[in-house]
Amino acid sequence: MEFIPGPGHSSRTPIEPNSANLCVGCLRNSVDITEGIPKQSSVSFCRNCERFLSPPSAWTLAQPESQELLALCLKRLKGLNKVRLTEAHFIWTEPHSKRLRVSLTIQKEVLTATILEQVFEIEYLVQHTQCPDCTKLAAKNTWKALVQVRQKVTHKRTFLFLEQLILKHGAQKDTVGVKEVRDGLDFFYSQRSHAIRMVEFLTGVVPVRSKGSEQLLSTDTHSNTANYRFTYSVEIAPICKDDLVCIPLKQARSLSNISPLTICTRVGSSFQLLDVNTLQAADVSAQVYWRTPFSALAGITDLVEFTVLDVEPVGTRRGRWVLADAQVALAGAFRSSGGHDKEDVLMDYESAGGTSQILHTRTHLGGILQPGDTAMGYYLTASNFNSDDYATLSADRIPDVILIKKAYPNRRKKTRTRAWKLRSIAKEEGEEGETGGGRGVVGRMGGRDQRKVEEDYELFLRELEEDPELRAKREPVQGQGRQYRMDVDDVVPEPGDGAGVEGDGEDAEEEGEFPDVQVEELLEDFDEMTLGDDEKAS
């Protein structure tokens, strides 16, 4: 049998003189500085809120392989206070392995004036559990605060846009549930402070008025404590973009003596009203509006399609608006029928609604309209409004037509699908995570007209395509600054999911200035986009 010398000085390896008179290998074999430090441990992870347990009772949100997660793992190790930690980093593991591997480099003085350094690995088992907050949410009727958001209008476009703003600013992170009700949404919270934060957020993005109330659930006379539920009612002003508004005469005089008949061009914490005859604009704050509230005469569903015959700018300009005199006619008013002779050509008076086919008006769209274009507007001559303020206006101050925006009917007739899809708040039953790729919280209430839901959603998507200012978040940023844009998922919808507009118009002429949405416009961080070549090709 061959004799093998033992560790330590018996290795007979020439070394530099040191206080231990041992080589590094023999020193490590004789002294284990990792003794007392466990090589395996575990961390608790809540799959619902994606937080890790930080003992004894705190739950921390940490990304994989982040510094926060590394600090949390090191806190769970016993014995690190007896050594000096010089380096720590994660070792890559499969995301679904439920394992975390951490490499540690430590130092410790083992003999007199002798410091030993050693590298070793620790494996953490990720244990899925449920935090106390998610445990409460799993039970019913555990909310402590409720925010009721309402708007008394006939459409849901405001809440579709509000949902994107909430996702953009991350205001949904504390929401434990969202429920659609008549004329609005209900947001549920586990703490009163979270509900107050949501009310403050809504006050900063839309014109609202709010009030709060509380309900006593239980009380303890011995400890002088009580349990309350808090409810906050938030009402959004029923004025939307592109609405036709008739301001009361007294209030119009207080707003720089603007004309009472205006259109709404922008809605934020205040909404902007524009007089299309003079380009005079007035900002109406929420406080001013709720002091003397008024409603819109007509909305986007009342728009009529017109054909532009002639446009002549008058020289007045205000920002992107250019004042111009225009001649328009109802779409199809000059549709001919019969033979090719002039005597056989008949006018379509039935669709025009009168004998006068050419309508003269003044518009703020002189910079974008050209003869032959199609525009959407309100046909005041053929409209009847139930408004006392509108009835007091003199007939010479009421135009025949008020144009609102340029339209693209030929492009709408073509069958196409959008290469982007809006994100949505997915707090409904059966959906996981904070956001999902579904329709969102609007349109889920039973009993609503599904066709009306589809129309509101399609109109909202068209507004995003046709209005760059709406995509760039409300107020334009002048100079260098950060623009807040909509968030989109990188999911390409199927042709039959309602994202495209179907039609036969194969021979229709395509407008060259159609405002297609670029994906990089809708994403705040383009680097985070994960749309692959295979998805683009599909």
Side-chain angles (χ1 to χ4, degrees):
M1 179 181 294
E2 182 181 359
F3 173 75
I4 300 176
H9 61 279
S10 301
S11 62
R12 301 175 182 179
T13 303
I15 61 172
E16 293 287 339
N18 56 57
S19 58
N21 289 327
L22 295 174
C23 65
V24 177
C26 293
L27 189 59
R28 287 178 178 174
N29 291 334
S30 60
V31 180
D32 184 13
I33 64 175
T34 64
E35 185 178 2
I37 302 177
K39 304 303 185 294
Q40 291 184 346
S41 183
S42 62
V43 291
S44 299
F45 176 70
C46 179
R47 289 182 295 180
N48 295 331
C49 59
E50 298 182 354
R51 294 186 299 176
F52 290 87
L53 174 61
S54 179
S57 60
W59 290 81
T60 305
L61 182 64
Q63 298 296 329
E65 300 188 3
S66 62
Q67 295 182 356
E68 294 80 6
L69 183 56
L70 182 60
L72 189 147
C73 292
L74 296 179
K75 287 180 181 179
R76 298 190 62 89
L77 292 180
K78 297 179 181 180
L80 280 182
N81 56 345
K82 299 179 181 180
V83 297
R84 179 185 178 186
L85 180 65
T86 60
E87 184 184 359
H89 63 271
F90 282 102
I91 301 176
W92 184 86
T93 57
E94 292 287 345
H96 59 274
S97 64
K98 298 183 182 179
R99 299 291 190 275
L100 296 176
R101 297 170 58 194
V102 179
S103 175
L104 300 181
T105 303
I106 60 174
Q107 294 178 351
K108 186 178 180 180
E109 185 176 359
V110 293
L111 296 174
T112 305
T114 301
I115 298 177
L116 183 62
E117 182 179 85
Q118 187 170 345
V119 180
F120 65 104
E121 179 183 326
I122 298 179
E123 185 179 76
Y124 292 87
L125 175 63
V126 180
Q127 296 178 343
H128 288 173
T129 183
Q130 204 170 31
C131 65
D133 295 337
C134 293
T135 303
K136 293 180 181 179
L137 299 180
K140 296 182 178 180
N141 300 324
T142 58
W143 56 272
K144 296 297 181 182
L146 169 65
V147 179
Q148 300 175 335
V149 185
R150 302 290 185 268
Q151 187 185 33
K152 298 179 180 179
V153 292
T154 59
H155 58 81
K156 293 292 183 179
R157 291 182 296 111
T158 301
F159 291 99
L160 290 169
F161 182 50
L162 188 61
E163 182 182 20
Q164 299 304 313
L165 287 179
I166 291 174
L167 288 170
K168 180 68 223 178
H169 296 273
Q172 85 289 353
K173 62 180 180 179
D174 298 323
T175 305
V176 300
V178 183
K179 180 182 178 182
E180 184 185 14
V181 295
R182 181 178 177 84
D183 296 333
L185 298 173
D186 285 347
F187 296 88
F188 299 91
Y189 297 91
S190 59
Q191 298 182 19
R192 181 187 182 186
S193 59
H194 297 164
I196 295 177
R197 194 178 307 156
M198 172 58 78
V199 175
E200 293 175 350
F201 169 77
L202 294 175
T203 305
V205 296
V206 287
V208 300
R209 64 176 176 182
S210 61
K211 61 180 180 179
S213 62
E214 57 185 26
Q215 178 187 4
L216 178 64
L217 298 181
S218 62
T219 182
D220 188 351
T221 57
H222 299 285
S223 59
N224 197 22
T225 58
N227 186 17
Y228 288 92
R229 272 187 176 177
F230 302 92
T231 302
Y232 296 91
S233 176
V234 180
E235 183 179 358
I236 305 177
I239 305 296
C240 302
K241 187 175 179 295
D242 296 335
D243 281 357
L244 180 64
V245 179
C246 185
I247 315 173
L249 184 59
K250 183 178 179 180
Q251 190 169 357
R253 291 174 179 174
S254 64
L255 298 174
S256 303
N257 199 23
I258 193 173
S259 173
L261 193 60
T262 58
I263 61 173
C264 180
T265 57
R266 179 180 57 82
V267 179
S269 57
S270 61
F271 54 89
Q272 186 181 77
L273 301 178
L274 178 69
D275 180 11
V276 297
N277 292 320
T278 61
L279 296 186
Q280 182 182 0
D283 286 331
V284 182
S285 62
Q287 294 80 6
V288 173
Y289 173 79
W290 292 114
R291 196 179 303 139
T292 310
F294 51 88
S295 58
L297 292 179
I300 192 173
T301 56
D302 302 316
L303 292 176
V304 180
E305 189 174 323
F306 293 92
T307 300
V308 180
L309 304 179
D310 187 23
V311 177
E312 183 178 353
V314 298
T316 305
R317 178 184 293 269
R318 181 185 177 90
R320 60 191 179 101
W321 307 125
V322 177
L323 194 63
D325 291 328
Q327 296 181 9
V328 299
L330 286 171
F334 292 98
R335 185 167 57 243
S336 60
S337 61
H340 298 282
D341 297 336
K342 294 183 179 180
E343 297 180 356
D344 296 333
V345 176
L346 302 178
M347 303 297 296
D348 191 356
Y349 290 101
E350 182 178 356
S351 62
T355 57
S356 178
Q357 305 302 318
I358 300 179
L359 304 173
H360 298 266
T361 185
R362 180 161 286 188
T363 179
H364 61 296
L365 305 176
I368 60 176
L369 289 182
Q370 299 293 333
D373 289 345
T374 301
M376 305 298 292
Y378 296 108
Y379 192 15
L380 302 185
T381 302
S383 302
N384 185 16
F385 302 112
N386 186 16
S387 172
D388 296 335
D389 298 325
Y390 182 78
T392 57
L393 297 178
S394 58
D396 56 342
R397 301 186 63 179
I398 301 177
D400 296 332
V401 176
I402 294 182
L403 300 181
I404 299 299
K405 60 182 179 180
K406 184 177 179 179
Y408 306 88
N410 295 339
R411 181 63 178 266
R412 296 301 181 196
K413 293 179 181 179
K414 291 182 177 292
T415 302
R416 65 186 185 91
T417 57
R418 296 181 174 92
W420 50 271
K421 191 174 183 180
L422 293 177
R423 297 173 59 199
S424 63
I425 302 176
K427 286 289 187 179
E428 298 296 322
E429 182 179 0
E431 297 187 0
E432 297 181 358
E434 293 186 356
T435 58
R439 173 59 52 84
V441 296
V442 179
R444 299 175 181 234
M445 188 175 66
R448 285 203 61 201
D449 186 5
Q450 188 63 27
R451 175 178 291 184
K452 185 65 171 62
V453 175
E454 296 291 341
E455 290 178 355
D456 290 343
Y457 190 68
E458 178 62 29
L459 287 175
F460 175 66
L461 295 180
R462 290 185 182 181
E463 288 184 19
L464 286 180
E465 290 179 328
E466 298 178 0
D467 193 348
E469 184 177 341
L470 184 65
R471 297 196 302 268
K473 170 61 179 65
R474 308 280 182 181
E475 302 153 1
V477 179
Q478 297 181 356
Q480 290 186 352
R482 181 179 180 183
Q483 293 185 353
Y484 296 94
R485 299 183 173 90
M486 293 291 183
D487 281 350
V488 296
D489 281 341
D490 52 359
V491 179
V492 180
E494 297 296 332
D497 64 352
V501 182
E502 297 184 357
D504 52 3
E506 296 292 332
D507 299 331
E509 182 182 359
E510 182 176 344
E511 294 90 347
E513 298 180 358
F514 184 80
D516 282 325
V517 179
Q518 303 298 326
V519 178
E520 55 269 20
E521 289 187 47
L522 299 173
L523 288 173
E524 179 185 5
D525 297 323
F526 184 69
D527 294 337
E528 297 180 0
M529 181 177 169
T530 58
L531 182 62
D533 297 336
D534 296 338
E535 294 178 350
K536 289 181 181 179
S538 58

